[in-house]
Amino acid sequence: AAMSLDGSTEELRELREQPIDPQAEQEIIDSIEEVYFSNDSFDMVQHELEKLPPELNLQELEEYRDKLKRQQAAVSKKVADLILEKQPAYVKELERVTALQTNLQLAAVICTNARRQLSVAKEGFTEASLGLLANQRRRQLLTGLLKSLRTIKTLQRTDVRLSEMLEEEDYPGAIQLCLECQKAASTFKHYSCISELNSKLQDTLEQIEEQLDVALSKTCKHFDVSHYTKVQLAYTLLGKTQTAMDQLHMHFTQAIHNTVFQVVLGYVELCAGNADTKFQKMQYKDLCTHITLDSYIPCLTDLCKALWEVMLSYYRTMQWHEEHEFSANIQAWSNITLDTSVVDHSYVQKKLEHGLTRIWQDVQLKVKAYILGTDMSNFKYDDFIVVLDVISRLMQVGEEFCGSKSEVLQESIKRQSVNYFKNYHRARLEELRMFLENETWELCPVKSNFNISQLHEFKFMGQCRSPSVSPSRQVVSSTSPPQEELSLFQQYLQEGNPFEMHIEHKEEETEDVLASNGYESDELEKSVYQDYDSDSDVPEELKQDYVDEQTGDAPLKSVSRETIRSKKKSDYNLSKTNAPILTNTTLNVIRLVGKYMQMMNILKPIAFDVIHCVSQLFDYYLYAVYTFFGRNDMYESSGLGLISSRLRTTLNRIQESLIDMNAGIHGPAEDRKEKVPSPHLSQMVVLTNSGTLYGLAQRVVATESLVFLAEQFESLQSHLDTMMPAAKKPFLQQFYSQTVSTASELRKPIYWIVAAKAIDYEQMLLMMAGVKWDIREIMSQHNVYVDVLLKEFEQFNKRLGDVSRHVRIPLPVSNVLWEHCIRLANRTLVEGYANVKKCSNEGRALMQLDFQQFLMKLEKLTDLRPIPDKEFVETYIKAYYLTENDMEQFIKNHREYSMKQLANLVNVCLGSHINKKARQKLLAAIDDIDRPKR
């Protein structure tokens, strides 16, 4: 095959090398079948073989082969020509290809190096640094997570801390912690465990609020500044200041109710003595009706003490709010704006001020229910006064607490008081009647310096004038100018209770008013009364012991004889003591007045009723003294005007308004004004014995004790006046001007009875009737009746001295007695002179002589100046010398003489000088004058 191949190649070369015409060549190329110019996959051998005819012809084959050879040679030649033609370009292109190849190889090396270095960089830098950054980022995320987890853990544990804080009562801290936790919880709410915690915190906050409410309620009974500050701070943090105020007032109302209920319940159960629980279910009002009389006052005191604590707490709460008005403390704690704070504050202020009245109203209603729950009409006086005292103190608390006049308390205590007082006064008047009927009118021996303020019943007046102050304050006020009185709230702000003083009060009172006996010593008594006329007999020791009445002090030098003489004659009592004259009954009346005034002092609303009753005590005493010692039908006939119209009016008024004239025959309904039967004098008192001057000692004791009583009333007038309601003051003034001031006027009628009986005036008239007056010569010797009369007076003086051994006879009394006796004697003289049928000028002169003798001796017996009715006698005697015209004028001017006495002047004196007609005219004038007098 190779050999055939080589042979064909050779042929081709030869054919190629043969010069061929280009045209012919082109024609040969063009004769090539089209199919030979198709794509590479063309299989020419297959093509040519397929073209062979069925019957092969060698020549034709060879010819065809040659043709093909020529075509191939033409193509090869053409190709070779073309190659040769393009040779330079080929070479040039080949160079470029070579250069490109070189460049490509270089690039491959560079790439390889670069790749190697990149992989080094990747390993050494990128992976390490970015890994660090990634780790750092992860670390930060984990740290955050840890923090969150810690917070969550803290939040989970908060409830333990909150419980501790609540136990420590650190409410502001607990609330702040709770609020902070809530804030934190809202930050982590994406954690499922936190959403549960949030609701738990809300519950806790509500629980804190409940505890806070309980803490707030504790301040109602015992206010503690630090405790209350915490509570208020806590409410401020919650932003619920106003709610706190509303709650506080509710708690105070509740506290008042619970307190009083517990106090009363305690006493009721204690007194019931069994464990019966029915009381606990009772209403407070019903519970109050189960208090026994024994436990009434202790329970009332405890009630007031407990209520005081509540009110003091409220007072201190208000004080706290005033002090913390814009306290920096609260501002620091709270985040609220100032506007809210101002609004809150004004709300709080208004609420607190409004609360004062509400709380006091509650207190009053509770105490009212207690007061009216028991009938006090049978209480002992002292117990009732203690009740009044406690309520009065409570009203004072109310006044200071909210400026209230405590109408509710006043009304309830007034109801009880009027009821109590009506019963009490009725019993006291009956008691007074019994005292007066058993009174023997003996002297009650009191000390010479006796004063009603020493009596237990009048101690309250001292307290009224100077309300109790603490010893420390008294010390301060003695050195510094007087400060204004501390209010109860200031006094008892820190400790103590204004209702504690009443119990101690009762035991410290002691009285020292009674003298050991009526006189300082028996020796002295004997020596004092030896002789009334002789100055020299006054013992020396008496002169030294004389005590000044006003001051009760002994003078530095002994007193002059004149002083002692005047004492001796006028006062009929040289006893060292100058004690007031009063009886046991007087003392009892004075004590009663004290008790009544105590009631009045505490109970201003019933002051008038009480003063009216006080006046009845005096009225009844005055009436008794008058009916026992002063009632006598001879007054009017004496023409001496012994009972003034004022006294007469007073006695009539007393008889109508107070004296039950039909004792024992009570009408169906008793008078609204309580009446008392007229008293009867004790049978022990004898007023008919001339030896005792007709009971003069008893009369003096009775009358002077009434005067003493009147003096005590006078001293109390200003005090009573301040207690009287303005509308009723005229009653008091009238009582003093019409009744009290008439007490001393009773001396006249009472002592007149003694004076009328002490001297025998009838005997004197008989003796005067036996004297001849129509004598014709001037006489130098007075008549015997004058000596007899003077003897009577001396006897009277001696008896007066005897009486004064037992009872001191004060100067006004001895003066009234002497005045009455002398006046009666002088009237008797005129009456005796008027009985004379015939009389001469010399007889008239004898009358004057008798009268002058009487006066001269009388002046030695008495200090009374001028001698009463001296002119009465002298004018009558001198009228003897008057002419007819003068006599007519005399009759008109001198109405004091009786018709008989004037007629005697006309008949006896002028009888011989005038005619019958003139006499008739004068007697008619007497008749005219005398008629109006009748």
Side-chain angles (χ1 to χ4, degrees):
M3 281 181 68
S4 65
L5 191 61
D6 284 344
S8 64
T9 308
E10 280 296 319
E11 285 171 11
L12 270 171
R13 197 183 300 131
E14 284 168 9
L15 281 170
R16 239 183 0 242
E17 286 169 3
Q18 286 170 6
I20 306 171
D21 181 28
Q23 198 173 353
E25 194 178 330
Q26 189 60 42
E27 282 173 3
I28 295 167
I29 290 168
D30 288 342
S31 68
I32 299 168
E33 278 184 52
E34 194 67 39
V35 78
Y36 280 98
F37 292 103
S38 65
N39 58 21
D40 297 339
S41 64
F42 171 66
D43 187 358
M44 54 190 163
V45 177
Q46 186 72 31
H47 176 71
E48 288 302 330
L49 283 174
E50 283 173 357
K51 266 172 65 177
L52 290 176
E55 288 179 11
L56 294 172
N57 181 336
L58 187 59
Q59 195 181 353
E60 278 175 8
L61 276 171
E62 279 183 355
E63 278 175 11
Y64 189 62
R65 189 191 74 172
D66 289 345
K67 184 186 174 187
L68 282 170
K69 276 187 179 180
R70 274 193 305 282
Q71 283 176 346
Q72 186 184 6
V75 169
S76 295
K77 188 174 180 301
K78 184 78 172 165
V79 169
D81 287 347
L82 281 169
I83 285 169
L84 283 173
E85 192 184 320
K86 303 282 184 190
Q87 180 72 22
Y90 165 75
V91 172
K92 200 176 177 183
E93 196 64 35
L94 194 62
E95 281 173 2
R96 279 179 61 202
V97 167
T98 313
L100 183 61
Q101 190 179 5
T102 312
N103 282 344
L104 282 171
Q105 281 172 340
L106 188 61
V109 170
I110 289 168
C111 278
T112 310
N113 286 344
R115 278 197 179 157
R116 192 175 63 250
Q117 284 174 353
L118 270 173
S119 84
V120 169
K122 183 183 170 190
E123 275 176 31
F125 173 73
T126 312
E127 281 181 6
S129 297
L130 290 177
L132 267 175
L133 285 171
N135 284 344
Q136 178 62 19
R137 187 159 166 270
R138 252 177 87 197
R139 183 176 166 193
Q140 280 177 333
L141 285 169
L142 287 169
T143 309
L145 181 63
L146 188 63
K147 200 173 172 188
S148 297
L149 287 170
R150 279 198 183 126
T151 308
I152 289 168
K153 187 180 178 185
T154 309
L155 287 176
Q156 298 267 335
R157 285 188 185 162
T158 308
D159 54 345
V160 179
R161 179 69 192 118
L162 280 173
S163 303
E164 286 173 8
M165 284 174 131
L166 289 177
E167 272 178 39
E168 292 161 14
E169 295 188 344
D170 181 8
Y171 304 109
I175 287 169
Q176 212 170 14
L177 179 60
C178 210
L179 293 173
E180 282 170 9
C181 288
Q182 276 190 322
K183 202 171 168 187
S186 65
T187 318
F188 298 114
K189 60 177 180 253
H190 48 281
Y191 297 112
S192 58
C193 62
I194 288 296
S195 57
E196 291 170 23
L197 183 70
N198 225 340
S199 60
K200 190 177 174 187
L201 282 171
Q202 194 52 45
D203 293 346
T204 308
L205 203 56
E206 284 167 17
Q207 190 189 336
I208 291 174
E209 275 192 56
E210 283 171 22
Q211 287 212 21
L212 202 51
D213 197 40
V214 173
L216 187 65
S217 71
K218 283 182 189 169
T219 62
C220 296
K221 286 187 186 172
H222 302 290
F223 183 87
D224 176 62
V225 177
S226 60
H227 177 78
Y228 189 71
T229 308
K230 281 183 198 170
V231 173
Q232 277 299 326
L233 219 43
Y235 273 112
T236 312
L237 287 171
L238 286 172
K240 292 191 174 182
T241 317
Q242 297 190 7
T243 318
M245 261 308 111
D246 300 342
Q247 286 295 102
L248 185 66
H249 281 83
M250 208 174 70
H251 287 314
F252 267 106
T253 308
Q254 196 58 38
I256 289 171
H257 176 75
N258 293 348
T259 303
V260 294
F261 190 81
Q262 287 308 319
V263 170
V264 177
L265 179 68
Y267 275 94
V268 170
E269 288 187 336
L270 185 72
C271 298
N274 55 15
D276 193 350
T277 54
K278 66 171 181 180
F279 295 121
Q280 292 175 352
K281 292 170 186 147
M282 273 189 186
Q283 289 289 313
Y284 170 72
K285 206 170 180 180
D286 302 329
L287 197 61
C288 290
T289 59
H290 286 77
I291 286 285
T292 61
L293 294 186
D294 295 341
S295 58
Y296 188 85
I297 290 174
C299 182
L300 176 64
T301 313
D302 284 353
L303 201 61
C304 291
K305 280 185 192 174
L307 287 169
W308 162 261
E309 291 297 341
V310 176
M311 285 188 281
L312 181 63
S313 292
Y314 195 85
Y315 175 83
R316 293 187 66 189
T317 305
M318 284 193 77
Q319 231 183 12
W320 185 93
H321 280 281
E322 280 166 25
E323 287 167 13
H324 293 70
E325 191 168 337
F326 290 109
S327 164
N329 196 4
I330 288 190
Q331 284 299 318
W333 275 90
S334 62
N335 301 319
I336 52 176
T337 63
L338 199 61
D339 292 346
T340 333
S341 170
V342 173
V343 171
D344 274 356
H345 178 71
S346 66
Y347 177 84
V348 165
Q349 207 57 32
K350 279 180 192 157
K351 190 83 181 168
L352 283 169
E353 281 164 15
H354 176 66
L356 279 172
T357 326
R358 257 186 53 195
I359 282 172
W360 179 239
Q361 197 60 16
D362 282 349
V363 169
Q364 284 192 87
L365 291 170
K366 297 296 179 194
V367 178
K368 175 189 177 179
Y370 184 81
I371 292 172
L372 298 179
T374 304
D375 176 18
M376 295 191 218
S377 55
N378 297 317
F379 268 37
K380 288 183 191 153
Y381 173 81
D382 287 341
D383 290 346
F384 191 71
I385 283 295
V386 170
V387 173
L388 293 187
D389 221 9
V390 172
I391 300 301
S392 166
R393 180 52 67 109
L394 189 62
M395 286 186 201
Q396 190 186 342
V397 170
E399 175 85 45
E400 290 178 11
F401 188 63
C402 60
S404 161
K405 292 282 168 244
S406 311
E407 287 82 0
V408 177
L409 279 180
Q410 287 206 11
E411 185 47 44
S412 51
I413 203 72
K414 185 179 177 180
R415 263 167 65 186
Q416 283 285 31
S417 302
V418 169
N419 182 25
Y420 176 80
F421 198 71
K422 228 163 41 179
N423 278 359
Y424 184 74
H425 181 60
R426 191 185 300 125
R428 294 299 73 78
L429 275 177
E430 271 305 323
E431 205 175 78
L432 179 57
R433 179 169 76 99
M434 193 181 73
F435 269 122
L436 288 166
E437 292 188 343
N438 288 294
E439 179 61 72
T440 54
W441 304 100
E442 294 292 331
L443 203 56
C444 173
V446 291
K447 294 197 168 181
S448 53
N449 63 351
F450 171 72
N451 187 305
I452 56 168
S453 61
Q454 296 160 352
L455 294 175
H456 168 75
E457 285 78 5
F458 287 90
K459 287 280 193 272
F460 78 95
M461 283 173 69
Q463 289 157 11
C464 295
R465 284 189 286 275
S466 56
S468 57
V469 284
S470 61
S472 58
R473 265 182 55 75
Q474 283 173 331
V475 172
V476 172
S477 58
S478 62
T479 52
S480 60
Q483 305 160 316
E484 57 180 76
E485 195 56 50
L486 280 178
S487 78
L488 292 175
F489 284 98
Q490 291 165 328
Q491 257 176 287
Y492 298 99
L493 189 62
Q494 297 306 329
E495 57 179 354
N497 193 305
F499 295 98
E500 271 162 7
M501 53 178 279
H502 302 283
I503 314 305
E504 313 146 3
H505 215 49
K506 287 164 78 174
E507 288 138 30
E508 59 188 44
E509 320 287 6
T510 51
E511 283 180 357
D512 182 20
V513 293
L514 297 180
S516 49
N517 58 27
Y519 305 97
E520 302 305 307
S521 75
D522 294 341
E523 275 307 305
L524 183 60
E525 184 187 347
K526 284 178 200 149
S527 62
V528 167
Y529 302 110
Q530 282 167 354
D531 190 346
Y532 285 90
D533 289 280
S534 161
D535 188 307
S536 58
D537 289 335
V538 175
E540 275 306 306
E541 75 255 40
L542 178 67
K543 292 175 189 172
Q544 289 156 12
D545 280 352
Y546 162 67
V547 175
D548 186 0
E549 275 183 63
Q550 269 67 44
T551 62
D553 298 329
L556 295 173
K557 293 179 182 156
S558 63
V559 186
S560 69
R561 285 170 174 267
E562 287 73 24
T563 312
I564 290 198
R565 185 187 292 120
S566 67
K567 280 269 153 214
K568 171 171 62 71
K569 286 189 178 173
S570 60
D571 226 354
Y572 285 93
N573 185 349
L574 299 181
S575 160
K576 179 175 168 183
T577 62
N578 226 334
I581 295 175
L582 68 158
T583 66
N584 283 323
T585 307
T586 328
L587 208 49
N588 273 310
V589 172
I590 292 173
R591 285 185 192 279
L592 265 185
V593 172
K595 288 179 175 180
Y596 281 25
M597 283 177 67
Q598 258 178 289
M599 235 181 246
M600 216 173 354
N601 192 41
I602 298 166
L603 275 176
K604 307 283 189 295
I606 67 159
F608 174 68
D609 304 273
V610 179
I611 284 183
H612 185 251
C613 294
V614 167
S615 73
Q616 287 188 342
L617 294 175
F618 186 83
D619 286 351
Y620 197 66
Y621 193 87
L622 181 139
Y623 187 80
V625 171
Y626 165 70
T627 49
F628 290 173
F629 303 105
R631 193 178 260 167
N632 195 298
D633 298 330
M634 287 165 62
Y635 292 152
E636 310 310 321
S637 59
S638 74
L640 291 170
L642 292 168
I643 292 190
S644 65
S645 60
R646 189 172 62 156
L647 180 57
R648 168 72 54 215
T649 311
T650 298
L651 290 166
N652 288 340
R653 176 188 63 75
I654 296 171
Q655 189 163 305
E656 282 167 29
S657 65
L658 187 64
I659 307 303
D660 182 4
M661 300 310 282
N662 310 312
I665 320 166
H666 286 295
E670 284 187 46
D671 265 341
R672 265 175 46 228
K673 291 174 186 171
E674 298 297 333
K675 288 195 171 187
V676 199
S678 183
H680 303 292
L681 182 63
S682 164
Q683 291 177 340
M684 306 280 286
V685 181
V686 180
L687 300 179
T688 49
N689 187 347
S690 62
T692 61
L693 272 180
Y694 308 95
L696 178 63
Q698 285 89 339
R699 290 174 194 273
V700 168
V701 171
T703 316
E704 298 318 302
S705 67
L706 175 67
V707 172
F708 177 75
L709 190 60
E711 284 167 5
Q712 303 318 304
F713 267 80
E714 294 283 358
S715 71
L716 296 171
Q717 183 175 4
S718 59
H719 192 85
L720 291 173
D721 194 58
T722 56
M723 293 175 166
M724 270 301 243
K728 304 285 187 182
K729 287 193 183 207
F731 168 82
L732 189 67
Q733 285 153 5
Q734 193 179 3
F735 168 63
Y736 270 93
S737 61
Q738 297 294 316
T739 309
V740 178
S741 60
T742 58
S744 56
E745 292 179 19
L746 271 180
R747 282 173 173 158
K748 274 191 176 178
I750 290 173
Y751 297 134
W752 184 84
I753 295 173
V754 175
K757 293 178 178 178
I759 286 166
D760 192 349
Y761 304 103
E762 289 299 320
Q763 181 201 2
M764 200 169 87
L765 277 176
L766 287 172
M767 288 184 76
M768 287 175 80
V771 177
K772 266 176 73 76
W773 300 105
D774 55 347
I775 48 173
R776 292 289 166 219
E777 57 187 67
I778 299 290
M779 302 293 285
S780 60
Q781 181 59 39
H782 61 268
N783 281 304
V784 176
Y785 75 86
V786 175
D787 294 327
V788 171
L789 181 59
L790 286 168
K791 197 92 181 128
E792 289 268 325
F793 269 104
E794 280 171 15
Q795 182 64 23
F796 169 70
N797 194 15
K798 184 174 178 300
R799 283 181 184 168
L800 214 49
D802 293 341
V803 171
S804 71
R805 293 180 186 226
H806 307 292
V807 177
R808 178 173 67 87
I809 298 179
L811 182 60
V813 177
S814 61
N815 283 350
V816 168
L817 280 165
W818 276 103
E819 185 185 336
H820 278 333
C821 286
I822 295 168
R823 190 165 283 186
L824 281 166
N826 285 340
R827 302 258 157 174
T828 310
L829 285 173
V830 169
E831 188 63 25
Y833 296 151
N835 288 337
V836 174
K837 296 285 183 284
K838 291 176 181 175
C839 182
S840 61
N841 285 347
E842 291 79 4
R844 239 19 180 190
L846 180 58
M847 286 180 185
Q848 274 182 312
L849 176 68
D850 287 349
F851 188 56
Q852 290 306 320
Q853 173 68 17
F854 172 62
L855 287 181
M856 187 180 73
K857 291 281 187 183
L858 188 64
E859 282 176 354
K860 287 183 182 176
L861 285 173
T862 176
D863 288 338
L864 198 61
R865 300 288 182 277
I867 297 292
D869 279 356
K870 179 178 157 189
E871 292 78 11
F872 185 77
V873 182
E874 287 175 344
T875 308
Y876 190 79
I877 296 172
K878 286 173 187 170
Y880 179 83
Y881 305 106
L882 294 175
T883 63
E884 180 189 335
N885 292 338
D886 291 339
M887 180 60 80
E888 193 172 348
Q889 195 57 45
F890 180 88
I891 289 167
K892 284 178 184 171
N893 291 347
H894 291 275
R895 297 184 173 205
E896 67 267 25
Y897 297 110
S898 70
M899 197 173 163
K900 174 192 163 192
Q901 289 164 353
L902 291 169
N904 178 271
L905 282 176
V906 172
N907 291 326
V908 175
C909 306
L910 292 175
S912 52
H913 312 307
I914 57 172
N915 59 32
K916 195 172 180 183
K917 192 179 177 187
R919 190 188 307 160
Q920 289 300 330
K921 184 186 168 192
L922 284 173
L923 290 173
I926 293 169
D927 226 11
D928 289 344
I929 285 167
D930 208 42
R931 201 170 290 123
K933 274 172 78 176
R934 290 180 192 171

